[in-house]
Amino acid sequence: MVQSPPKLITANEFITQYGDNNNYELIDGELIEMEPTGPHEQVSSFIGRKLNVEIDRKDLPYFIPHRCLIKLLGTETAFRPDVIVLDQTQLINEPLWQNEPVITSGKSIKLIAEVVSTNWQNDYARKVEDYALLGIPEYWIVDYLGIGGREYIGKPKQPTITICTLVGDEYEKQLFQNHDQLVSSIFPDLKLTAKQVFLV
């Protein structure tokens, strides 16, 4: 039996039909089902909580929305990050924000954290490229199960947080494991180790 290719949809169709459904994102017109587990949600929530503490402590004009899509202009792609830190001073320039929680400009985004699950290739390859092109200053790949490819997390494979910092138009990557203290350019005073994130 020949399997028919998936039906492609536009980013606008996706936002209309699936904008409120946290189980899907869109990559090149293809609907991607996300299957977060309980531990995945715990890790995402823990990171959001720690970053919110820093935002409050330093009285920064940032916030972490409960639900948000990133629409890549000129493409049929809409990502749904696990944690996204937005700069509220930039939202005036967002054409869709007043009507729906959709971001189109990297200038509005300070940091994204993706918690790795079974579709880890998207987090380590595709999103690294797209987030760099969008100009997002910092991108965390939080691989609490250590399931990413060895070329990304080393050998032997183990739980790893990769912090990608934008330099020019490309990311410089730094890996954090065990008791390594995370180094963030957006939250330089953050006191958090990789192990604390993984023990959630």
Side-chain angles (χ1 to χ4, degrees):
M1 187 172 127
V2 177
Q3 192 171 4
S4 60
K7 178 184 177 294
L8 301 182
I9 63 173
T10 68
N12 287 339
E13 288 170 331
F14 173 77
I15 290 166
T16 301
Q17 294 173 36
Y18 298 95
D20 292 339
N21 187 334
N22 287 337
N23 294 330
Y24 295 96
E25 62 184 2
L26 188 72
I27 298 181
D28 298 329
E30 187 178 340
L31 207 54
I32 306 293
E33 188 167 0
M34 301 160 75
E35 300 170 8
T37 62
H40 176 284
E41 293 302 285
Q42 277 179 276
V43 169
S44 299
S45 178
F46 179 80
I47 292 167
R49 195 172 86 227
K50 292 297 184 185
L51 297 183
N52 267 325
V53 167
E54 286 300 293
I55 291 168
D56 278 350
R57 199 172 63 77
K58 306 215 72 171
D59 200 22
L60 298 167
Y62 307 160
F63 72 103
I64 299 173
H66 176 63
R67 196 177 15 239
C68 186
L69 284 171
I70 301 171
K71 180 181 177 188
L72 302 183
L73 293 177
T75 73
E76 302 308 337
T77 296
F79 293 129
R80 191 182 303 275
D82 291 310
V83 178
I84 181 168
V85 178
L86 297 180
D87 181 345
Q88 49 197 12
T89 67
Q90 296 295 320
L91 295 179
I92 192 164
N93 302 314
E94 286 291 347
L96 304 174
W97 185 256
Q98 290 306 316
N99 298 315
E100 48 204 354
V102 178
I103 296 296
T104 60
S105 167
K107 289 190 172 113
S108 302
I109 304 167
K110 301 308 286 184
L111 182 149
I112 284 178
E114 295 282 10
V115 179
V116 175
S117 50
T118 48
N119 58 349
W120 58 265
Q121 293 91 339
N122 286 333
D123 295 327
Y124 279 106
R126 176 60 192 265
K127 291 180 182 179
V128 166
E129 256 179 51
D130 285 339
Y131 289 163
L133 280 173
L134 204 51
I136 294 165
E138 193 164 300
Y139 170 39
W140 295 14
I141 306 168
V142 182
D143 192 348
Y144 71 101
L145 293 171
I147 59 174
R150 284 183 300 204
E151 68 269 32
Y152 299 114
I153 62 174
K155 197 174 162 187
K157 296 201 320 184
Q158 61 180 308
T160 303
I161 297 175
T162 305
I163 294 185
C164 308
T165 306
L166 198 63
V167 176
D169 61 357
E170 289 187 355
Y171 282 127
E172 283 185 0
K173 297 175 189 152
Q174 193 171 356
L175 273 53
F176 300 89
Q177 297 167 333
N178 298 312
H179 296 286
D180 296 340
Q181 184 158 313
L182 305 185
V183 177
S184 166
S185 61
I186 303 300
F187 297 102
D189 299 327
L190 182 68
K191 301 276 188 284
L192 191 61
T193 67
K195 198 171 186 75
Q196 284 175 288
V197 175
F198 301 141
L199 285 177
V200 165

